[in-house]
Amino acid sequence: MIDTLLRDLRQPEYIHVLINPLPIYGLAMGWVGLVIALFLRSRRAQIATLAIVLISAASAWPVYEFGQQAYDRVLSMTDEDGKAWLDAHEDRAEDLIYSFYALALLSVVAILVPMKWPRSSVPLALAVIILGVVVIGIGAYIAQAGGKIRHREFRNESPPPKSASVNSTASVTTDTLATAAFASDN
C-alpha cells in the first residue's frame, strides 16, 4: 500500500488532481471568513482569513506546475473530445494563473500595510473580497474545462474549437511547406 502511494505521488497528473481543489475551495472558505471578519470588525480574524486566502491563492502555482508536467501523459490517455478540453483547460490556466498571483500579493499587502496604516485595513480587505470572488469564478472557469477531459458524463456541450493561434500556425506552416516544395520543383 505504501509503495502504491509513493508511486502515485511521483505522477504529476495524480498530484495535480489531488491538489487542484485547494485554490477554489480554500479561497471560498477564506472569502467567507473574511466577510465574517469584516462584519465582526476583528483585525485578528481578518489576518487569519487573509492568510487562508494567501495560502489558497498561492497554491494555484503548484497546481499549475503539476498540470503542465502532466499534459503529455494525460493527452495520451484521452479521446479526441478530451484532447480539445485538455487544450482549453491548459489555455485557460496559462492565461489566467496570474489572477491567483495578484490575489496572493493583494492579501500580503492587506496583512502588512495596516500595521503601518491601520485605517487601510477595511478598504484592503474589501479589495481582497472583490478580487477574491472574481478569482473564485476564474478558478471555476478553468476547472470546468478540466473536469471534462476524462469525465464524459460532464460533457454536456460540444468541445471547444481549437485555438486560433494553433490553427493559424498550422496554416502558415502548411503554406510555407507548399511554397518551399513548389520552389524546389522549379
Side-chain angles (χ1 to χ4, degrees):
M1 181 167 151
I2 296 293
D3 291 336
T4 302
L5 177 62
L6 292 175
R7 190 174 338 112
D8 288 343
L9 292 175
R10 287 188 218 117
Q11 298 174 335
E13 61 275 15
Y14 180 80
I15 301 292
H16 178 75
V17 169
L18 185 67
I19 65 174
N20 75 45
L22 290 176
I24 297 172
Y25 296 160
L27 283 178
M29 295 299 105
W31 188 87
V32 168
L34 187 54
V35 169
I36 293 169
L38 274 178
F39 280 113
L40 295 176
R41 297 181 183 189
S42 169
R43 179 66 186 148
R44 289 181 180 170
Q46 285 179 25
I47 291 170
T49 55
L50 286 166
I52 293 169
V53 170
L54 168 63
I55 292 164
S56 300
S59 73
W61 173 69
V63 170
Y64 174 79
E65 287 299 321
F66 282 110
Q68 292 288 72
Q69 293 172 23
Y71 179 85
D72 291 333
R73 288 182 61 146
V74 173
L75 183 66
S76 69
M77 296 182 264
T78 307
D79 62 10
E80 286 304 313
D81 286 349
K83 289 177 184 178
W85 285 112
L86 179 62
D87 289 340
H89 181 60
E90 180 184 44
D91 289 344
R92 292 174 186 186
E94 286 175 346
D95 293 343
L96 301 170
I97 187 69
Y98 301 103
S99 62
F100 288 91
Y101 302 156
L103 181 59
L105 179 62
L106 182 58
S107 297
V108 169
V109 169
I111 291 169
L112 298 178
V113 168
M115 291 177 185
K116 177 81 172 166
W117 297 284
R119 290 184 158 189
S120 67
S121 69
V122 171
L124 286 171
L126 287 172
V128 169
I129 287 171
I130 292 167
L131 184 56
V133 77
V134 170
V135 172
I136 290 168
I138 287 170
Y141 174 69
I142 295 168
Q144 185 259 354
K148 294 181 181 191
I149 295 167
R150 301 272 298 159
H151 292 280
R152 291 183 179 128
E153 68 274 18
F154 298 153
R155 295 181 193 164
N156 51 13
E157 60 184 304
S158 298
K162 297 275 187 193
S163 66
S165 61
V166 172
N167 291 336
S168 63
T169 303
S171 171
V172 169
T173 304
T174 305
D175 293 344
T176 305
L177 290 173
T179 303
F182 179 77
S184 67
D185 288 339
N186 290 334

